[in-house]
Coordinates of all heavy atoms in Angstrom, one line a residue:
R1594 N -18.5 30.3 38.3 CA -19.8 30.6 38.8 C -20.3 31.9 38.3 O -19.7 32.9 38.4 CB -19.8 30.6 40.3 CG -21.1 30.9 41.1 CD -22.1 29.9 40.9 NE -23.2 30.1 41.8 CZ -24.4 29.5 41.7 NH1 -24.6 28.5 40.8 NH2 -25.4 29.7 42.6
F1595 N -21.6 31.9 37.8 CA -22.3 33.1 37.4 C -23.5 33.3 38.3 O -24.3 32.4 38.5 CB -22.8 33.1 36.0 CG -21.7 33.2 34.9 CD1 -20.9 32.1 34.6 CD2 -21.4 34.4 34.3 CE1 -19.9 32.2 33.6 CE2 -20.4 34.6 33.4 CZ -19.7 33.5 33.0
V1596 N -23.6 34.5 38.9 CA -24.8 34.8 39.7 C -25.7 35.8 39.1 O -26.7 36.2 39.6 CB -24.4 35.2 41.2 CG1 -23.7 34.0 41.9 CG2 -23.4 36.4 41.1
A1597 N -25.2 36.4 38.0 CA -26.0 37.4 37.2 C -25.5 37.4 35.8 O -24.4 36.8 35.5 CB -25.8 38.8 37.9
A1598 N -26.2 38.1 35.0 CA -25.7 38.2 33.6 C -24.3 38.8 33.5 O -24.1 39.8 34.1 CB -26.7 39.0 32.8
A1599 N -23.5 38.2 32.7 CA -22.1 38.7 32.5 C -21.5 38.2 31.2 O -21.9 37.1 30.8 CB -21.2 38.4 33.7
S1600 N -20.7 38.9 30.5 CA -20.0 38.5 29.3 C -18.6 39.1 29.3 O -18.3 40.0 30.0 CB -20.8 38.9 28.1 OG -20.8 40.4 28.0
G1601 N -17.8 38.4 28.5 CA -16.4 38.9 28.5 C -15.5 38.0 27.6 O -16.0 37.3 26.8
L1602 N -14.2 38.2 27.8 CA -13.2 37.5 27.0 C -12.2 36.7 27.8 O -12.0 37.1 29.0 CB -12.5 38.5 26.1 CG -13.3 39.5 25.2 CD1 -12.4 40.5 24.6 CD2 -14.1 38.7 24.2
M1603 N -11.6 35.7 27.2 CA -10.6 35.0 28.0 C -9.5 34.5 26.9 O -9.9 34.3 25.8 CB -11.1 33.8 28.8 CG -11.7 32.6 28.1 SD -13.3 32.9 27.3 CE -13.7 31.2 26.9
W1604 N -8.3 34.3 27.4 CA -7.2 33.9 26.6 C -6.0 33.4 27.4 O -6.1 33.5 28.7 CB -6.8 35.0 25.6 CG -6.2 36.2 26.3 CD1 -4.9 36.5 26.5 CD2 -6.9 37.4 26.8 NE1 -4.8 37.7 27.1 CE2 -6.0 38.3 27.3 CE3 -8.3 37.7 26.8 CZ2 -6.4 39.5 27.9 CZ3 -8.7 38.9 27.4 CH2 -7.7 39.8 27.9
V1605 N -5.0 33.0 26.8 CA -3.7 32.6 27.5 C -2.6 33.6 27.0 O -2.4 33.7 25.8 CB -3.3 31.2 27.3 CG1 -1.9 30.9 28.0 CG2 -4.4 30.2 27.9
Q1606 N -2.0 34.2 27.9 CA -0.8 35.1 27.5 C 0.4 34.4 27.9 O 0.6 33.9 29.0 CB -0.9 36.4 28.3 CG 0.3 37.4 28.0 CD 0.1 38.7 28.7 OE1 -0.9 39.4 28.5 NE2 1.2 39.1 29.4
V1607 N 1.4 34.4 27.0 CA 2.7 33.7 27.3 C 3.7 34.8 27.4 O 4.0 35.6 26.5 CB 3.1 32.8 26.1 CG1 4.4 32.1 26.4 CG2 2.0 31.7 25.9
G1608 N 4.3 34.9 28.6 CA 5.3 35.9 28.9 C 4.7 37.1 29.6 O 3.5 37.4 29.5
A1609 N 5.5 37.8 30.4 CA 5.0 39.0 31.1 C 4.8 40.1 30.1 O 5.3 40.1 29.0 CB 6.0 39.4 32.2
N1610 N 4.0 41.1 30.6 CA 3.7 42.3 29.7 C 5.0 43.0 29.2 O 5.0 43.5 28.1 CB 2.9 43.3 30.4 CG 1.5 42.8 30.7 OD1 0.9 42.0 29.9 ND2 0.8 43.3 31.7
V1611 N 6.1 43.0 30.0 CA 7.3 43.7 29.6 C 8.2 42.8 28.7 O 9.2 43.3 28.2 CB 8.1 44.1 30.8 CG1 7.3 45.1 31.7 CG2 8.5 42.9 31.7
D1612 N 7.8 41.5 28.5 CA 8.6 40.6 27.6 C 8.5 41.1 26.2 O 7.4 41.2 25.6 CB 8.1 39.2 27.8 CG 9.1 38.2 27.2 OD1 9.6 38.4 26.1 OD2 9.4 37.2 27.9
P1613 N 9.7 41.3 25.5 CA 9.6 41.7 24.1 C 8.9 40.7 23.2 O 8.5 41.1 22.1 CB 11.1 42.0 23.7 CG 11.8 41.2 24.7 CD 11.0 41.2 26.0
D1614 N 8.9 39.4 23.5 CA 8.3 38.4 22.7 C 7.0 38.0 23.2 O 6.4 36.9 22.7 CB 9.3 37.2 22.7 CG 10.6 37.5 22.0 OD1 10.6 38.1 20.9 OD2 11.7 37.1 22.5
V1615 N 6.3 38.7 24.1 CA 5.1 38.3 24.7 C 4.0 38.0 23.5 O 4.0 38.8 22.5 CB 4.5 39.3 25.7 CG1 4.2 40.7 25.0 CG2 3.3 38.8 26.4
F1616 N 3.3 37.0 23.7 CA 2.2 36.7 22.7 C 1.0 36.0 23.4 O 1.1 35.6 24.6 CB 2.7 35.8 21.5 CG 3.0 34.4 21.9 CD1 2.0 33.4 21.8 CD2 4.2 34.0 22.4 CE1 2.3 32.1 22.1 CE2 4.5 32.7 22.7 CZ 3.6 31.7 22.6
R1617 N -0.1 35.9 22.8 CA -1.3 35.3 23.4 C -2.0 34.4 22.4 O -1.8 34.6 21.1 CB -2.2 36.4 23.9 CG -2.9 37.3 22.9 CD -3.8 38.2 23.5 NE -4.5 39.1 22.5 CZ -5.4 40.0 22.9 NH1 -5.8 40.2 24.1 NH2 -5.9 40.7 21.9
T1618 N -2.8 33.6 22.9 CA -3.6 32.7 22.0 C -4.8 33.5 21.4 O -5.0 34.7 21.7 CB -4.2 31.5 22.8 OG1 -5.1 32.1 23.8 CG2 -3.1 30.7 23.5
Q1619 N -5.5 32.8 20.6 CA -6.8 33.4 20.1 C -7.7 33.7 21.3 O -7.7 33.0 22.3 CB -7.5 32.4 19.2 CG -8.8 32.9 18.6 CD -9.4 31.8 17.7 OE1 -9.1 30.7 17.7 NE2 -10.3 32.3 16.8
V1620 N -8.4 34.8 21.2 CA -9.3 35.2 22.3 C -10.6 34.5 22.2 O -11.3 34.6 21.2 CB -9.4 36.7 22.3 CG1 -10.4 37.2 23.4 CG2 -8.1 37.4 22.5
G1621 N -11.1 33.9 23.3 CA -12.4 33.3 23.4 C -13.4 34.3 24.1 O -13.0 35.3 24.6
S1622 N -14.6 33.9 24.2 CA -15.6 34.7 24.8 C -16.5 33.9 25.7 O -16.7 32.7 25.5 CB -16.4 35.5 23.8 OG -17.2 34.6 23.0
F1623 N -17.1 34.5 26.7 CA -18.1 33.9 27.6 C -19.3 34.8 27.7 O -19.2 36.0 27.5 CB -17.6 33.6 29.0 CG -17.0 34.7 29.7 CD1 -17.9 35.5 30.5 CD2 -15.7 35.1 29.7 CE1 -17.4 36.6 31.2 CE2 -15.2 36.2 30.4 CZ -16.1 36.9 31.2
D1624 N -20.5 34.2 27.9 CA -21.7 35.0 27.9 C -22.8 34.2 28.7 O -23.2 33.2 28.2 CB -22.2 35.4 26.5 CG -23.3 36.4 26.6 OD1 -23.8 36.7 27.7 OD2 -23.7 36.9 25.5
S1625 N -23.2 34.6 29.9 CA -24.2 33.9 30.6 C -25.3 34.9 31.1 O -25.0 36.0 31.6 CB -23.5 33.2 31.8 OG -24.5 32.6 32.6
G1626 N -26.5 34.5 30.9 CA -27.6 35.4 31.3 C -28.3 34.9 32.5 O -29.4 35.5 32.8
A1627 N -27.8 33.9 33.2 CA -28.5 33.4 34.3 C -27.5 32.8 35.3 O -26.4 32.6 35.0 CB -29.5 32.3 33.9
V1628 N -28.0 32.4 36.5 CA -27.2 31.7 37.5 C -26.8 30.4 36.9 O -27.6 29.6 36.4 CB -28.0 31.5 38.8 CG1 -27.2 30.7 39.8 CG2 -28.4 32.9 39.4
S1629 N -25.5 30.1 36.9 CA -25.0 28.9 36.3 C -23.6 28.6 36.7 O -22.9 29.4 37.3 CB -25.1 29.0 34.8 OG -24.2 30.0 34.3
R1630 N -23.1 27.4 36.4 CA -21.7 27.0 36.5 C -21.3 26.7 35.1 O -21.8 25.8 34.4 CB -21.5 25.8 37.4 CG -21.6 26.0 38.9 CD -20.3 26.6 39.5 NE -20.4 26.7 40.9 CZ -19.4 27.1 41.7 NH1 -18.2 27.4 41.1 NH2 -19.5 27.2 43.0
D1631 N -20.3 27.4 34.6 CA -19.9 27.3 33.2 C -18.4 26.8 33.1 O -17.6 26.9 34.0 CB -20.0 28.6 32.4 CG -21.4 29.0 32.1 OD1 -22.3 28.2 32.5 OD2 -21.6 30.0 31.5
T1632 N -18.1 26.2 31.9 CA -16.8 25.8 31.6 C -16.3 26.6 30.4 O -17.0 26.7 29.4 CB -16.7 24.3 31.2 OG1 -17.1 23.5 32.4 CG2 -15.3 23.9 30.8
W1633 N -15.1 27.2 30.6 CA -14.5 28.0 29.5 C -13.4 27.2 28.9 O -12.6 26.6 29.7 CB -14.0 29.3 30.0 CG -14.9 30.2 30.7 CD1 -16.3 30.1 30.8 CD2 -14.6 31.4 31.5 NE1 -16.8 31.2 31.5 CE2 -15.8 32.0 31.9 CE3 -13.4 32.0 31.8 CZ2 -15.8 33.1 32.7 CZ3 -13.4 33.2 32.6 CH2 -14.6 33.7 33.0
V1634 N -13.2 27.3 27.6 CA -12.0 26.6 27.0 C -11.5 27.6 25.9 O -12.2 28.1 25.1 CB -12.4 25.3 26.3 CG1 -11.2 24.7 25.6 CG2 -13.0 24.3 27.4
V1635 N -10.1 27.7 25.9 CA -9.4 28.4 24.9 C -8.4 27.4 24.3 O -7.7 26.8 25.1 CB -8.7 29.6 25.4 CG1 -7.8 30.2 24.3 CG2 -9.7 30.7 25.8
A1636 N -8.3 27.2 23.0 CA -7.4 26.3 22.4 C -6.8 27.0 21.2 O -7.5 27.6 20.4 CB -8.0 25.0 22.0
D1637 N -5.4 26.9 21.0 CA -4.8 27.5 19.9 C -3.4 26.9 19.7 O -2.8 26.3 20.6 CB -4.6 29.0 20.2 CG -4.4 29.8 18.9 OD1 -4.4 29.2 17.8 OD2 -4.3 31.1 19.0
T1638 N -3.0 26.9 18.4 CA -1.6 26.5 18.0 C -0.8 27.8 17.7 O -1.2 28.5 16.8 CB -1.6 25.5 16.9 OG1 -2.3 24.3 17.2 CG2 -0.2 25.1 16.5
C1639 N 0.3 28.0 18.4 CA 1.0 29.2 18.3 C 2.5 29.0 17.9 O 3.1 28.0 18.4 CB 1.0 30.0 19.7 SG -0.7 30.4 20.3
K1640 N 3.0 29.9 17.1 CA 4.4 29.8 16.9 C 5.2 30.5 18.0 O 4.8 31.5 18.5 CB 4.8 30.5 15.5 CG 6.2 30.4 15.1 CD 6.4 31.1 13.7 CE 7.9 31.0 13.3 NZ 8.1 31.6 11.9
I1641 N 6.3 29.8 18.5 CA 7.0 30.4 19.6 C 8.1 31.3 19.1 O 8.9 30.9 18.3 CB 7.7 29.2 20.4 CG1 6.6 28.3 21.0 CG2 8.5 29.8 21.5 CD1 7.1 27.1 21.7
P1642 N 8.2 32.5 19.5 CA 9.2 33.4 19.1 C 10.6 32.9 19.4 O 10.8 32.2 20.5 CB 9.0 34.7 19.8 CG 7.5 34.7 20.2 CD 7.2 33.2 20.4
A1643 N 11.6 33.1 18.5 CA 12.9 32.5 18.7 C 13.5 32.9 20.1 O 14.2 32.2 20.7 CB 13.8 33.0 17.6
G1644 N 13.2 34.2 20.5 CA 13.8 34.7 21.8 C 13.2 34.0 23.0 O 13.8 34.1 24.1
M1645 N 12.1 33.2 22.9 CA 11.5 32.5 24.0 C 12.0 31.1 24.1 O 11.9 30.4 25.2 CB 10.0 32.5 23.9 CG 9.3 33.8 24.3 SD 7.6 33.5 24.5 CE 7.1 35.1 25.2
R1646 N 12.6 30.5 23.1 CA 13.0 29.1 23.1 C 14.2 28.9 24.0 O 15.1 29.7 24.0 CB 13.4 28.7 21.7 CG 12.2 28.8 20.7 CD 12.7 28.6 19.2 NE 11.6 29.1 18.3 CZ 11.8 29.3 17.0 NH1 13.0 29.1 16.5 NH2 10.8 29.8 16.3
G1647 N 14.1 27.9 24.9 CA 15.1 27.6 25.8 C 15.0 28.5 27.1 O 16.0 28.5 27.8
T1648 N 13.9 29.1 27.3 CA 13.7 30.0 28.5 C 12.5 29.5 29.3 O 11.7 28.7 28.8 CB 13.5 31.4 28.1 OG1 12.3 31.6 27.4 CG2 14.7 31.9 27.2
D1649 N 12.4 30.0 30.5 CA 11.2 29.7 31.4 C 10.3 30.9 31.2 O 10.7 32.1 31.4 CB 11.6 29.6 32.8 CG 12.5 28.3 33.0 OD1 12.6 27.5 32.1 OD2 13.0 28.1 34.2
K1650 N 9.0 30.6 30.9 CA 8.0 31.7 30.7 C 6.7 31.4 31.5 O 6.4 30.2 31.7 CB 7.7 31.9 29.3 CG 8.9 32.4 28.4 CD 9.3 33.8 28.8 CE 10.5 34.3 28.0 NZ 11.0 35.6 28.5
W1651 N 6.1 32.5 31.9 CA 4.7 32.3 32.5 C 3.7 32.1 31.4 O 3.7 32.8 30.4 CB 4.4 33.5 33.4 CG 4.8 33.4 34.8 CD1 4.5 32.5 35.7 CD2 5.8 34.3 35.5 NE1 5.1 32.8 36.9 CE2 5.9 33.9 36.8 CE3 6.4 35.4 35.1 CZ2 6.7 34.5 37.7 CZ3 7.3 36.1 36.0 CH2 7.4 35.6 37.3
F1652 N 2.8 31.2 31.7 CA 1.6 31.0 30.9 C 0.4 31.5 31.7 O -0.1 30.8 32.6 CB 1.4 29.6 30.5 CG 2.4 29.2 29.4 CD1 3.8 29.2 29.6 CD2 1.9 28.8 28.1 CE1 4.6 28.8 28.6 CE2 2.8 28.4 27.1 CZ 4.2 28.4 27.4
F1653 N -0.1 32.7 31.4 CA -1.1 33.3 32.3 C -2.5 33.1 31.7 O -2.8 33.5 30.5 CB -0.9 34.9 32.3 CG 0.4 35.3 33.0 CD1 1.3 35.9 32.2 CD2 0.6 35.1 34.3 CE1 2.5 36.4 32.8 CE2 1.7 35.6 34.9 CZ 2.7 36.2 34.2
P1654 N -3.5 32.5 32.4 CA -4.9 32.5 32.0 C -5.4 33.9 32.3 O -5.4 34.4 33.4 CB -5.5 31.5 32.9 CG -4.6 31.4 34.1 CD -3.2 31.8 33.7
R1655 N -5.9 34.6 31.2 CA -6.4 35.9 31.3 C -7.9 36.0 31.0 O -8.4 35.2 30.2 CB -5.6 36.9 30.4 CG -4.2 37.1 30.8 CD -4.0 37.9 32.0 NE -2.6 38.1 32.4 CZ -1.9 39.2 32.2 NH1 -2.4 40.2 31.6 NH2 -0.7 39.3 32.7
A1656 N -8.6 36.9 31.7 CA -10.0 37.2 31.4 C -10.4 38.6 31.7 O -9.7 39.3 32.4 CB -10.9 36.2 32.2
M1657 N -11.4 39.0 31.1 CA -11.9 40.4 31.4 C -13.4 40.5 31.1 O -13.9 39.7 30.2 CB -11.2 41.4 30.5 CG -11.3 41.2 29.0 SD -10.4 42.4 28.1 CE -11.4 43.9 28.3
L1658 N -14.1 41.4 31.8 CA -15.5 41.6 31.5 C -15.7 42.5 30.3 O -14.9 43.4 30.1 CB -16.2 42.2 32.7 CG -16.3 41.4 34.0 CD1 -16.7 42.2 35.2 CD2 -17.3 40.2 33.7
S1659 N -16.8 42.3 29.6 CA -17.1 43.2 28.5 C -17.7 44.5 28.9 O -17.5 45.6 28.3 CB -18.1 42.5 27.5 OG -17.5 41.4 26.9
A1660 N -18.3 44.5 30.1 CA -18.9 45.7 30.7 C -18.8 45.6 32.2 O -18.8 44.5 32.8 CB -20.4 45.9 30.2
A1661 N -18.7 46.8 32.8 CA -18.5 46.8 34.3 C -19.8 46.3 35.0 O -20.9 46.5 34.6 CB -18.3 48.3 34.7

Side-chain angles (χ1 to χ4, degrees):
R1594 177 69 168 170
F1595 286 82
V1596 294
S1600 63
L1602 307 173
M1603 71 283 194
W1604 63 94
V1605 175
Q1606 177 177 309
V1607 181
N1610 290 334
V1611 296
D1612 194 314
D1614 294 313
V1615 64
F1616 70 94
R1617 65 178 181 177
T1618 63
Q1619 183 180 16
V1620 177
S1622 64
F1623 60 86
D1624 190 352
S1625 180
V1628 175
S1629 63
R1630 285 277 186 179
D1631 286 1
T1632 297
W1633 303 348
V1634 179
V1635 170
D1637 202 358
T1638 299
C1639 302
K1640 185 175 181 179
I1641 299 174
M1645 283 193 172
R1646 299 170 196 163
T1648 66
D1649 295 353
K1650 294 295 178 183
W1651 272 298
F1652 284 64
F1653 298 113
R1655 294 287 177 104
M1657 59 180 287
L1658 292 169
S1659 295

